[in-house]
Amino acid sequence: MPKNFSKSSIKIAVIGGSGLEDPKFFKKIKEVNIKTPFGYPSAPIIIADFNGTHVAFLSRHGKKHQFPPHKVPQRANIWALKSLGVERIIGISAVGSLQKDFKPGDIVISDQFVDFTKKRDYTFYEEETIHVSLADPFCPELRTLFYREAKKLKISVHQNGTYWCIEGPRFSTRAESKLFRNFADVIGMTLCPEAALARESEICYLNLSMVTDYDVWAKHPVNLSELLKTMEENAEKIKNLLLNAIPKIKEQAKCSCQESLSNAKF
Ligand SMILES: [Zn+2]
């Protein structure tokens, strides 16, 4: 069971891709590599000064993008952040769209997910019977704040969305994609079990999904240069949103994410 090992002032973490490791975006203070019972996280954690707030940045796929989605050491990642004292995680992911009105370039503040992964380490509780609630898997307080800030910045943002998480690393067949779009808005490979492990660790978790393209149901051939351009533009939007929203996160959370274990024990 992960505990707060540290009384540090690092309460907020961002898990994301390498696009965010931009020296113009934050001032790096130091890097820490934390050994956990599950090995090392996917990269050393960067502690940064972020408009006066200390924030931990973790590159989900590793510094050299060496961890494909199904190999990301998710338990080590969440454990390491918890051990730093982190209470809020903002998880950023690139997704495909399953719906016409979720357009490339849009940001989605997911409110639900479907876990369609197959062979990941889903829990910290292998020896104890713990059932945390994931009826509402994302922090309501962070969702409200980030939606409001995104609107202020005139970002094309969806207040809600269901994220369908597949195992990967392969993409979906057309038949799979048609099935998924009956139940979800966007599709990706990285959200699960990251969000659930955060809940088990009593950490508030927010997902910001950046739509890069339409999934194969749309029959639109993926144009790589367009995709890369969209990803670059999305990274700029996300950076802007983080810069505006993170300093507004209140010290004391009013949600119940940080008490998720109180009724979870069998
Ligand atoms: Zn919360």
Side-chain angles (χ1 to χ4, degrees):
M1 177 184 173
K3 297 199 185 335
N4 275 350
F5 303 131
S6 156
K7 294 271 179 251
S8 77
S9 58
I10 304 149
K11 306 283 189 202
I12 300 166
V14 175
I15 305 179
S18 50
L20 296 175
E21 287 176 19
D22 174 356
K24 282 176 270 163
F25 175 46
F26 58 71
K27 197 169 136 236
K28 181 165 147 184
I29 299 169
K30 60 175 176 179
E31 258 185 39
V32 287
N33 207 4
I34 298 168
K35 193 170 185 195
T36 78
F38 310 101
Y40 285 100
S42 45
I45 294 167
I46 296 170
I47 311 297
D49 185 289
F50 192 83
N51 273 357
T53 309
H54 285 185
V55 176
F57 281 86
L58 176 55
S59 182
R60 187 187 283 117
H61 295 284
K63 267 189 166 174
K64 295 175 186 151
H65 213 96
Q66 68 271 41
F67 295 106
H70 63 297
K71 292 287 185 190
V72 173
Q74 301 219 28
R75 288 196 294 188
N77 286 356
I78 300 297
W79 184 287
L81 294 174
K82 180 75 177 177
S83 70
L84 279 175
V86 165
E87 294 173 354
R88 269 106 163 204
I89 292 175
I90 298 145
I92 294 161
S93 43
V95 294
S97 168
L98 294 169
Q99 307 296 340
K100 245 183 214 148
D101 58 343
F102 283 65
K103 299 184 177 72
D106 289 358
I107 304 291
V108 185
I109 298 181
S110 307
D111 68 320
Q112 286 292 322
F113 70 74
V114 177
D115 184 357
F116 217 61
T117 62
K118 294 171 181 158
K119 48 164 205 166
R120 300 187 183 187
D121 293 316
Y122 302 101
T123 181
F124 287 114
Y125 295 99
E126 303 285 9
E127 312 293 334
E128 282 176 85
T129 309
I130 297 282
H131 303 284
V132 289
S133 169
L134 268 114
D136 296 299
F138 303 107
C139 174
E141 198 173 294
L142 292 179
R143 289 186 54 240
T144 304
L145 169 67
F146 276 72
Y147 178 68
R148 194 181 66 214
E149 293 303 313
K151 289 300 271 184
K152 272 193 218 164
L153 293 167
K154 302 199 184 322
I155 290 171
S156 176
V157 62
H158 298 262
Q159 190 167 14
N160 298 293
T162 298
Y163 181 126
W164 188 288
C165 191
I166 55 169
E167 179 68 31
R170 70 168 179 86
F171 290 121
S172 310
T173 64
R174 289 188 207 284
E176 286 168 339
S177 190
K178 278 182 196 160
L179 167 74
F180 302 159
R181 66 190 300 260
N182 286 303
F183 304 99
D185 304 302
V186 294
I187 182 164
M189 299 175 190
T190 54
L191 180 67
C192 299
E194 191 174 281
L197 293 171
R199 180 60 57 84
E200 281 192 350
S201 308
E202 301 195 302
I203 298 174
C204 295
Y205 187 92
L206 173 78
N207 170 254
L208 295 178
S209 279
M210 314 183 291
V211 181
T212 54
D213 59 342
Y214 287 108
D215 200 42
V216 289
W217 61 271
K219 296 180 192 165
H220 290 175
V222 176
N223 174 328
L224 190 62
S225 70
E226 269 175 33
L227 184 85
L228 291 173
K229 189 168 167 272
T230 305
M231 285 180 82
E232 208 173 293
E233 288 166 2
N234 278 350
E236 286 309 308
K237 280 181 212 165
I238 288 282
K239 280 191 240 176
N240 209 0
L241 179 55
L242 293 173
L243 278 169
N244 281 275
I246 284 179
K248 296 187 180 113
I249 296 176
K250 296 211 165 61
E251 185 115 356
Q252 292 297 327
K254 290 204 176 102
C255 51
S256 57
C257 315
Q258 295 176 26
E259 291 147 25
S260 59
L261 292 176
S262 55
N263 290 314
K265 206 166 173 132
F266 191 73

